[in-house]
Amino acid sequence: MARKYFGTDGIRGLVGEGVITPQFFLQLGWAVGKVLAQQNGDKSGGLVLIGKDTRISGYMFESALEAGLISAGVDVGLLGPMPTPAIAYLTRTFQASAGIVISASHNPYTDNGIKLFNTDGTKLPDEVELAIEDQLDRAMTTASKLGKARRIADAEGRYIEFCKGSLPWGFNLRGLNIVVDCANGATYEVAPKVFGELGANVIPIANKPDGLNINLDCGSTKLNQLQKHVLETGADMGIAFDGDGDRVMFVDEKGEVLDGDQLLFIIASHKHKNGGCSGVVGTLMSNFGFELGLKNQGIPFERAKVGDRYVIEAMKNNGWQIGGESSGHIVCSDVTTTGDGIIAALQVLLALKAEKQSLHQLKLRMQKMPQVMINVRVTNKVDLDSHEQVQAAIASAEKRLDGKGRVLLRASGTEPVIRVMVEGQEHQLVASLAQELADIVGEAVA
């Protein structure tokens, strides 16, 4: 059954448009509370935790959700600005009925949205999301016994200790100089403290949110400032998070970027060396060089559809503990239940310290293949799988790559575009094939 409101990762959009309004969030809080009460088999929805990133609109939506939940008889624990994975963790430790994150992740401050976690700190199953959507279309009623709200004062400290506790006893970061880019987002307090308390000399940047500057020319999607600071300070590396802290990217001592594929490769290789990697899940967008690098070590690899929901599903199906996306969304299920930028960063640092090499040296162990992606605007829907000219062009491109690359055409889930991606060993050939395919796709969808 198709969802009316929920996408693959919650609900997201421009503040004030569509469902991203206080009125909808009020109704959503009430609907969540009613569904939780039904699940519990009584009139109580238990406790629901609410966290948020640093967007100015977060205060407005927090109040609306709080009021809706309380009117449904649910108790509310307010966490304040906290990374998305911290809310997942705290939902587990408080044995709450659910956790709600108010965030639009790496989007600008003009957007906002919500993500929901189950009592075990995982994304809500389809049947629960559908039950909430059904409840959203009903008229609000007030419970006979209202819920209560309280602020969780020690949330930050609990999560910091959890992050540090994910590492072996005695592990430290003494001697490392690290620039930490907090994207003026949810990690602005906790990330510098985690690395600093482990002994690193931390140089924080983009750690002064004002409600409007989240992800603004900073964070994991805009790495120029981080690269500049690493080179100017002579730091050993830079670490960048996105607005809600579930993604991470690194910059090495030479100012070169390490994306999610390269970070996953470092984590998986270290775990494999120590007998702790049964396989890795990537996505359709994972670099072919990443796949080959794992294959050369005898590490099984599987591609899932783009989206952490699908990555985690494939990990569970295979019984594997590592997966993620090139965007820096990395899941280490032996440590936590969802993508966590800080946890992933610590796993990379664990490998770096064990190997006794610089980050640049570790990076060179995996050779990324040249990859070119061109977005083709869509005006008319066309079934490209049955379009003879497009399929012939794909077959021709794959033949010219001679088994040493790949071609992918994928409709975006967030924009009216077809993503045309080609990978191979020679950049000139890859770029030429990508443009040829994009031109043919453009004619097909015009």
Side-chain angles (χ1 to χ4, degrees):
M1 181 176 176
R3 296 179 179 87
K4 184 176 180 180
Y5 302 109
F6 286 94
T8 57
D9 196 20
I11 301 171
R12 190 182 304 179
L14 186 65
V15 174
E17 293 189 3
V19 298
I20 311 301
T21 64
Q23 294 87 344
F24 179 82
F25 275 61
L26 175 68
Q27 182 85 10
L28 176 62
W30 174 81
V32 169
K34 294 291 286 185
V35 169
L36 292 176
Q38 292 166 7
Q39 285 185 324
N40 293 343
D42 55 32
K43 296 181 180 180
S44 169
L47 171 69
V48 173
L49 301 183
I50 301 177
K52 60 186 178 182
D53 63 24
T54 57
R55 294 162 211 273
I56 192 169
S57 60
Y59 295 93
M60 174 174 68
F61 292 129
E62 179 186 57
S63 297
L65 278 172
E66 179 186 352
L69 287 161
I70 288 173
S71 71
V74 176
D75 290 334
V76 176
L78 298 172
L79 302 172
M82 290 288 288
T84 288
I87 285 101
Y89 164 71
L90 291 166
T91 300
R92 295 199 315 272
T93 59
F94 276 92
Q95 298 183 43
S97 298
I100 301 178
V101 185
I102 304 168
S103 174
S105 190
H106 55 282
N107 290 24
Y109 85 93
T110 48
D111 290 355
N112 218 329
I114 61 103
K115 301 178 185 181
L116 290 98
F117 290 105
N118 220 340
T119 186
D120 57 3
T122 59
K123 298 291 176 66
L124 291 185
D126 292 345
E127 59 270 20
V128 176
E129 287 188 350
L130 291 171
I132 292 171
E133 291 201 343
D134 178 67
Q135 200 69 44
L136 275 165
D137 293 329
R138 300 173 185 267
M140 279 186 65
T141 57
T142 302
S144 57
K145 184 180 180 181
L146 298 178
K148 296 180 180 180
R150 63 188 174 99
R151 199 155 285 280
I152 309 297
D154 60 346
E156 178 184 296
R158 284 172 177 255
Y159 179 61
I160 289 171
E161 289 307 311
F162 163 69
C163 290
K164 294 191 298 182
S166 68
L167 298 164
W169 177 255
F171 178 84
N172 68 78
L173 298 174
R174 287 193 291 271
L176 286 180
N177 296 303
I178 305 175
V179 181
V180 178
D181 182 343
C182 303
N184 290 313
T187 62
Y188 80 102
E189 289 277 6
V190 297
K193 290 180 181 177
V194 169
F195 300 114
E197 290 181 18
L198 285 168
N201 175 41
V202 176
I203 306 165
I205 64 172
N207 64 325
K208 296 179 180 178
D210 60 12
L212 309 176
N213 60 1
I214 186 170
N215 299 314
L216 182 61
D217 297 323
C218 58
S220 63
T221 59
K222 301 281 180 62
L223 294 165
N224 290 346
Q225 289 299 314
L226 180 61
Q227 291 172 296
K228 179 182 176 183
H229 274 80
V230 167
L231 293 175
E232 287 181 348
T233 61
D236 296 295
M237 69 193 69
I239 303 174
F241 303 100
D242 66 338
D244 72 332
D246 63 357
R247 295 187 185 191
V248 65
M249 292 280 201
F250 274 61
V251 169
D252 68 21
E253 68 274 18
K254 295 180 180 292
E256 297 177 8
V257 174
L258 283 80
D259 66 9
D261 290 344
Q262 293 163 305
L263 300 178
L264 268 170
F265 182 81
I266 291 171
I267 295 170
S269 298
H270 174 67
K271 287 184 178 291
H272 178 67
K273 190 173 182 180
N274 292 278
C277 180
S278 51
V280 178
V281 174
T283 73
L284 297 173
M285 303 304 293
S286 297
N287 192 275
F288 194 47
F290 174 41
E291 180 177 348
L292 291 178
L294 294 175
K295 184 178 179 180
N296 290 337
Q297 297 181 71
I299 301 174
F301 176 75
E302 181 176 310
R303 293 181 186 272
K305 291 193 293 184
V306 175
D308 67 312
R309 175 189 292 266
Y310 305 113
V311 170
I312 292 172
E313 181 181 329
M315 289 169 62
K316 288 180 178 177
N317 291 340
N318 288 305
W320 297 347
Q321 296 179 322
I322 309 170
E325 305 178 77
S326 53
S327 62
H329 195 281
I330 296 172
V331 183
C332 300
S333 64
D334 55 336
V335 180
T336 190
T337 57
T338 190
D340 189 320
I342 295 176
I343 291 294
L346 291 175
Q347 291 295 306
V348 172
L349 293 170
L350 180 64
L352 181 141
K353 294 282 281 189
E355 296 295 329
K356 298 180 180 179
Q357 288 189 317
S358 71
L359 187 57
H360 185 74
Q361 289 172 320
L362 284 183
K363 174 190 173 185
L364 295 177
R365 294 185 180 184
M366 183 195 115
Q367 297 301 313
K368 286 184 68 176
M369 280 197 173
Q371 181 186 91
V372 173
M373 184 166 66
I374 301 174
N375 291 330
V376 181
R377 303 294 296 184
V378 176
T379 54
N380 297 305
K381 284 191 175 182
V382 176
D383 182 6
L384 296 179
D385 292 337
S386 59
H387 195 286
E388 291 185 8
Q389 189 177 5
V390 170
Q391 292 304 309
I394 292 173
S396 174
E398 290 176 337
K399 184 177 181 180
R400 290 170 66 183
L401 289 170
D402 193 26
K404 299 173 184 177
R406 64 191 186 102
V407 176
L408 175 68
L409 270 63
R410 184 178 73 88
S412 169
T414 57
E415 300 175 80
V417 300
I418 300 293
R419 304 198 194 283
V420 178
M421 190 272 287
V422 179
E423 285 180 331
Q425 292 181 327
E426 299 177 18
H427 185 272
Q428 187 173 354
L429 175 62
V430 166
S432 174
L433 292 176
Q435 189 59 60
E436 289 175 17
L437 276 170
D439 291 342
I440 292 171
V441 171
E443 292 175 5
V445 300

